[in-house]
Amino acid sequence: MKERLFTHDVKSIPIFREVITEDGIMYEPIPDFNGVARMPRNNPWNSGDVLYVHPSSYQPIMLEQLEEIAYELVECGYRITGSGELKGNRLAFIELENDELPTLSFDGTILKPKMWIGTSHDGSTALKSTIKIVDTWCLNTFMLNSRSDILFKAKHTRNSDFRIQNYQNQLRVASDSITEYYDLVNRLQDTKWHQSRNEKEFANVLGAVMKPRKRTLKGKVSWTNSKYSGKHQNQLADLDWAYHNSPGQAERGDTAWRWFSAVTYWADHMISDREKESGSNILNGTRARQKAKAFDVAKEYAIGY
């Protein structure tokens, strides 16, 4: 029997509204809408938690199906290295590795790819697969979100059918995407970066703007000189620390790759538990978008260098 990766699963349930009549309180079903309930697998008496309310035409993808996809991939040659839930248990994922996928290493950096499969129960993320690159030197991560069907194709019907892609095609498509990324990484590492650019480009990534700030003290209003917001000042200080002190930075030298690695370290490790649980640093989360913007900044600089 295959090991279950999740202790719970999800199912669609009817939802009701309270109606007060002359005869008392009644509950009537709400037409055209259902709820998604997360329920423990080993306790049928536990009704679990309602995660989301959705139109009845939407059917949540069960975690058993996500596990089934993972184990079919294991039979192809992958191995499962992790799984979990985020966003208040509304996002589930499984990570896999395959020794046939390319790696990259140089001083301060060891890049290793993982295949990431996941789905949400609130409609925000369809059943998809993508590539997650991990720098095992410092555990920084970056997701290559260019394709969602590398490992399988899914039809989002009532039964949510899926079909595993041809194994050799999987490897070819994934390897091409990974190699393209590695080529850019090598270019970033070969590009000299001047520390004088740090604050400007970090602020660009954060969307931080210097401007006069309004202050009120004892009922009197005054304006400061142009400055960043308090939040952005703290984030810029953290990014500066990451550039100089995070693992692997000294070995990378003053390069565009070092600057980008400071952003990925900050986004992955200098993050609150609440932000991490919300999935901020993966897929289309806030910090994931900041990583992507930072990569574009570094790439454009390296290409024009």
Side-chain angles (χ1 to χ4, degrees), residues 49-61:
D49 303 313
V50 177
L51 301 176
Y52 189 64
V53 174
H54 56 81
S56 55
S57 59
Y58 171 84
Q59 291 295 315
I61 296 168

Side-chain angles (χ1 to χ4, degrees), residues 12 29 37 43-44 62 74 98 128 131 136 187 192 222 242 247 249:
S12 187
N43 186 355
M62 296 184 65
V74 168
N98 189 315
K128 69 176 294 181
I131 304 167
T136 60
R187 186 157 186 173
K192 184 72 174 177
S222 61
Q249 292 294 74

Side-chain angles (χ1 to χ4, degrees), residues 189-200:
Q189 180 60 17
D190 290 338
T191 301
K192 184 72 174 177
W193 182 270
H194 300 282
Q195 293 186 34
S196 59
R197 300 183 60 88
N198 282 2
E199 181 178 311
K200 171 189 171 184

Side-chain angles (χ1 to χ4, degrees), residues 240-253:
D240 183 71
W241 184 93
Y243 181 88
H244 289 95
N245 300 293
S246 59
Q249 292 294 74
E251 290 82 358
R252 294 173 186 128

Side-chain angles (χ1 to χ4, degrees), residues 129-141:
S129 59
T130 190
I131 304 167
K132 177 180 178 181
I133 305 294
V134 181
D135 188 339
T136 60
W137 191 292
C138 50
L139 300 183
N140 296 354
T141 66

Side-chain angles (χ1 to χ4, degrees), residues 13-201:
I13 60 171
I15 57 175
F16 299 81
R17 60 186 165 201
E18 183 181 271
V19 179
I20 299 176
T21 69
E22 293 180 354
D23 299 323
I25 296 176
M26 300 177 60
Y27 295 91
E28 63 179 27
I30 299 177
D32 303 322
F33 285 90
N34 288 329
V36 177
R38 177 178 180 269
M39 308 169 70
R41 283 172 160 165
N42 59 357
N43 186 355
W45 305 109
N46 187 327
S47 58
D49 303 313
V50 177
L51 301 176
Y52 189 64
V53 174
H54 56 81
S56 55
S57 59
Y58 171 84
Q59 291 295 315
I61 296 168
M62 296 184 65
L63 300 186
E64 182 177 4
Q65 189 170 33
L66 196 63
E67 292 170 334
E68 183 182 345
I69 293 171
Y71 281 116
E72 285 202 29
L73 292 169
V74 168
E75 292 177 7
C76 291
Y78 294 86
R79 62 182 177 277
I80 297 169
T81 59
S83 61
E85 294 172 281
L86 296 169
K87 297 178 64 176
N89 299 318
R90 295 190 302 276
L91 174 70
F93 68 91
I94 299 172
E95 293 179 347
L96 306 100
E97 291 182 1
N98 189 315
D99 291 336
E100 293 191 60
L101 294 174
T103 60
L104 175 68
S105 63
F106 50 81
D107 287 348
T109 294
I110 304 173
L111 299 183
K112 191 168 187 177
K114 291 179 179 285
M115 304 307 293
W116 188 98
I117 62 174
T119 188
S120 70
H121 311 313
D122 59 6
S124 61
T125 303
L127 179 62
K128 69 176 294 181
S129 59
T130 190
I131 304 167
K132 177 180 178 181
I133 305 294
V134 181
D135 188 339
T136 60
W137 191 292
C138 50
L139 300 183
N140 296 354
T141 66
F142 189 62
M143 298 189 85
L144 309 183
N145 292 321
S146 58
R147 295 286 299 272
S148 63
D149 60 351
I150 295 173
L151 298 179
F152 55 84
K153 284 188 179 292
K155 292 182 179 179
H156 295 278
T157 62
R158 182 169 292 271
N159 296 320
S160 189
D161 298 328
F162 70 90
R163 175 172 57 82
I164 300 294
Q165 301 278 45
N166 175 273
Y167 179 64
Q168 292 304 321
N169 286 342
Q170 290 177 29
L171 293 180
R172 178 182 55 78
V173 172
S175 294
D176 287 349
S177 296
I178 294 166
T179 300
E180 181 180 357
Y181 176 71
Y182 288 169
D183 288 344
L184 288 169
V185 168
N186 280 322
R187 186 157 186 173
L188 297 188
Q189 180 60 17
D190 290 338
T191 301
K192 184 72 174 177
W193 182 270
H194 300 282
Q195 293 186 34
S196 59
R197 300 183 60 88
N198 282 2
E199 181 178 311
K200 171 189 171 184
E201 299 299 1

